[in-house]
Amino acid sequence: MLAIADTSLTEAEIQAAVNVLRSGALRQGGECDAFEAEFAARVGAPYAVSSASGTAALHLAYMTFLQPGDEVLLPSFTFIATGSTVSAAGGRPVFCDVDPETFLLDLADAERKLTPRTRAISPVHLFGNPCDLAAVEAFAAQHRLRIIWDAAQAHGARWQGRELGGWDDFVAYSFYPTKNLFVGEGGMTCTLNPELAERMRYLRSHGQTGRYLHTLPGLNYRMSDVEAAIGRAQLHRFDAMLAARRRHAAILRDGLSSLPGLHLQKVVPGNEPAWHQFCFRVEAGAFGCDRNQLAQKLADQGIATAVHYPRGLHQQPVFRQLYGDSFLPATEAIAQSILAVPVHHGLTEHDAERIVEAIVAARTG
Ligand SMILES: Cc1ncc(COP(=O)(O)O)c(C=O)c1O
């Protein structure tokens, strides 16, 4: 079976973790400091603060400034943590629709949802496809909003030749096992602002500014040196992993882009996605079968698929209960028709060709 992700560690990564385990220094220490510096350099950020997860990385950002009742504009078509971290920080996530072709935040809908309480915007570089950084920055400047970039799926992606880590106050990454860089559980918040970096360092460690002196309302969101050591070792193969994803995505795009009834995620010319996922919409009428039937046909050929995501955040029971019902047509249509096929670094080019052939055959067969 071709799996949807490859989460195996190399011997060098395992050895790096073992070295920390042998040392007995399991808590946050020098490995974390070094991982922060090395990751920041790789994604083009001056400062980076490691944490226990991508969720913690987002939450830490909000903890630095969000006030109770503040509203944050964000796409409904994303992973739950983009919205739940706003709620956890006392704010209110305001779910916006997405562009039906790029699957990214629709700024026109965000504009309709502005209120006097709107404080921030959190665009998601979904599946590693970069948002329009210039357009979001202009929108945020016009409406005086903070920007919290959710880059959990976008390690190594580039927008118009530029890395995504060094933009604005907050860029949050996740190192969950399926991610493009993975350590187990872990996250990183990059920032251009040294004072915010310092504040997040205090917040992730109980708000402690001196020994048993707690001056900020913090939590324990620290990464341990075990995960950091794995991350540091993995950075050595990160560019090769990214290049492999891009080769596989190119094969999939070449083979599938003109297939009637299949709508690939649109990539704006000049952008270089990280290809965390390779997703497309299946238009049942034109394709000949629907998303679920295609998934079954691919499973029969030994190819795993996944649905990211079967519903928008505004359709999640937890948010419907908290904030009531709303209707976002593009998000709902995408959720019903989207499918992901393997694109990860562990495939061979032959595997990617096999996926193309199986999809082409599923259409006619
Ligand atoms: C878009 C997005 N935001 C946030 C997160 C949260 O990251 P983590 O799972 O490391 O908490 C994820 C990861 O699953 C994600 O995909």
Side-chain angles (χ1 to χ4, degrees), residues 197-316:
E198 187 183 33
R199 205 169 157 82
M200 287 191 281
R201 287 181 210 286
Y202 290 135
L203 287 167
R204 79 173 168 194
S205 197
H206 306 291
Q208 179 169 262
T209 50
R211 190 156 172 74
Y212 292 118
L213 178 68
H214 304 274
T215 48
L216 294 166
L219 293 164
N220 176 1
Y221 272 170
R222 295 183 301 260
M223 180 185 279
S224 87
D225 265 15
V226 179
E227 284 106 13
I230 295 171
R232 292 187 70 199
Q234 203 173 97
L235 274 172
H236 294 298
R237 66 168 169 139
F238 175 71
D239 284 313
M241 292 159 81
L242 185 59
R245 284 181 184 270
R246 288 184 171 147
R247 279 197 307 276
H248 304 151
I251 292 169
L252 294 169
R253 288 184 77 79
D254 277 357
L256 300 174
S257 59
S258 56
L259 212 58
L262 215 68
H263 305 285
L264 306 186
Q265 184 180 24
K266 180 178 166 190
V267 176
V268 172
N271 288 351
E272 299 155 80
W275 297 109
H276 171 58
Q277 300 289 352
F278 190 92
C279 290
F280 48 77
R281 292 179 62 184
V282 183
E283 188 190 335
F287 189 74
C289 69
D290 69 18
R291 178 262 307 278
N292 296 338
Q293 290 163 329
L294 174 58
Q296 186 54 55
K297 288 183 186 190
L298 294 179
D300 293 344
Q301 298 297 315
I303 298 168
T305 59
V307 175
H308 307 291
Y309 299 91
R311 54 187 66 80
L313 297 194
H314 72 287
Q315 298 173 292
Q316 292 290 354

Side-chain angles (χ1 to χ4, degrees), residues 52-58 77-83 85 124-127 150-153 172-179 184-187 276 309:
S53 66
T55 305
L58 286 167
F77 193 64
T78 179
F79 181 66
I80 187 79
T82 312
T85 48
V124 181
H125 302 302
L126 196 73
F127 309 138
D150 186 336
Q153 306 182 352
Y173 292 86
S174 160
F175 304 121
Y176 182 75
T178 57
K179 297 295 193 282
E185 296 285 2
H276 171 58
Y309 299 91

Side-chain angles (χ1 to χ4, degrees), residues 64-112:
T64 64
F65 75 93
L66 207 68
Q67 300 295 316
D70 281 353
E71 295 178 1
V72 181
L73 301 167
L74 49 92
S76 180
F77 193 64
T78 179
F79 181 66
I80 187 79
T82 312
S84 59
T85 48
V86 175
S87 307
R92 178 181 177 130
V94 175
F95 306 116
C96 304
D97 217 345
V98 293
D99 178 280
E101 295 189 338
T102 61
F103 312 156
L104 304 173
L105 178 65
D106 174 1
L107 282 179
D109 196 45
E111 182 145 35
R112 285 191 283 276

Side-chain angles (χ1 to χ4, degrees), residues 1-187:
M1 192 76 166
L2 286 184
I4 196 76
D6 179 351
T7 62
S8 47
L9 297 177
T10 63
E11 282 309 313
E13 289 154 19
I14 293 167
Q15 194 54 52
V18 168
N19 291 345
V20 175
L21 294 173
R22 285 231 169 83
S23 76
L26 304 182
R27 63 189 166 80
Q28 184 167 85
E31 291 290 331
C32 280
D33 294 343
F35 184 37
E36 288 176 353
E38 290 161 11
F39 183 78
R42 176 59 188 81
V43 299
Y47 306 98
V49 178
S50 63
S51 56
S53 66
T55 305
L58 286 167
H59 194 200
L60 280 173
Y62 289 119
M63 286 165 75
T64 64
F65 75 93
L66 207 68
Q67 300 295 316
D70 281 353
E71 295 178 1
V72 181
L73 301 167
L74 49 92
S76 180
F77 193 64
T78 179
F79 181 66
I80 187 79
T82 312
S84 59
T85 48
V86 175
S87 307
R92 178 181 177 130
V94 175
F95 306 116
C96 304
D97 217 345
V98 293
D99 178 280
E101 295 189 338
T102 61
F103 312 156
L104 304 173
L105 178 65
D106 174 1
L107 282 179
D109 196 45
E111 182 145 35
R112 285 191 283 276
K113 295 192 166 132
L114 285 163
T115 76
R117 306 230 49 174
T118 310
R119 191 77 205 284
I121 185 166
S122 183
V124 181
H125 302 302
L126 196 73
F127 309 138
N129 194 16
C131 299
D132 184 339
L133 298 178
V136 171
E137 284 204 328
F139 180 89
Q142 185 187 352
H143 302 291
R144 297 171 197 276
L145 307 177
R146 304 294 283 266
I147 309 176
I148 301 87
W149 295 103
D150 186 336
Q153 306 182 352
H155 322 60
R158 285 191 188 178
W159 174 80
Q160 303 299 313
R162 295 184 59 178
E163 299 290 336
L164 302 185
W167 291 81
D168 310 293
D169 286 342
F170 310 102
V171 187
Y173 292 86
S174 160
F175 304 121
Y176 182 75
T178 57
K179 297 295 193 282
N180 291 26
L181 186 75
F182 54 97
V183 306
E185 296 285 2

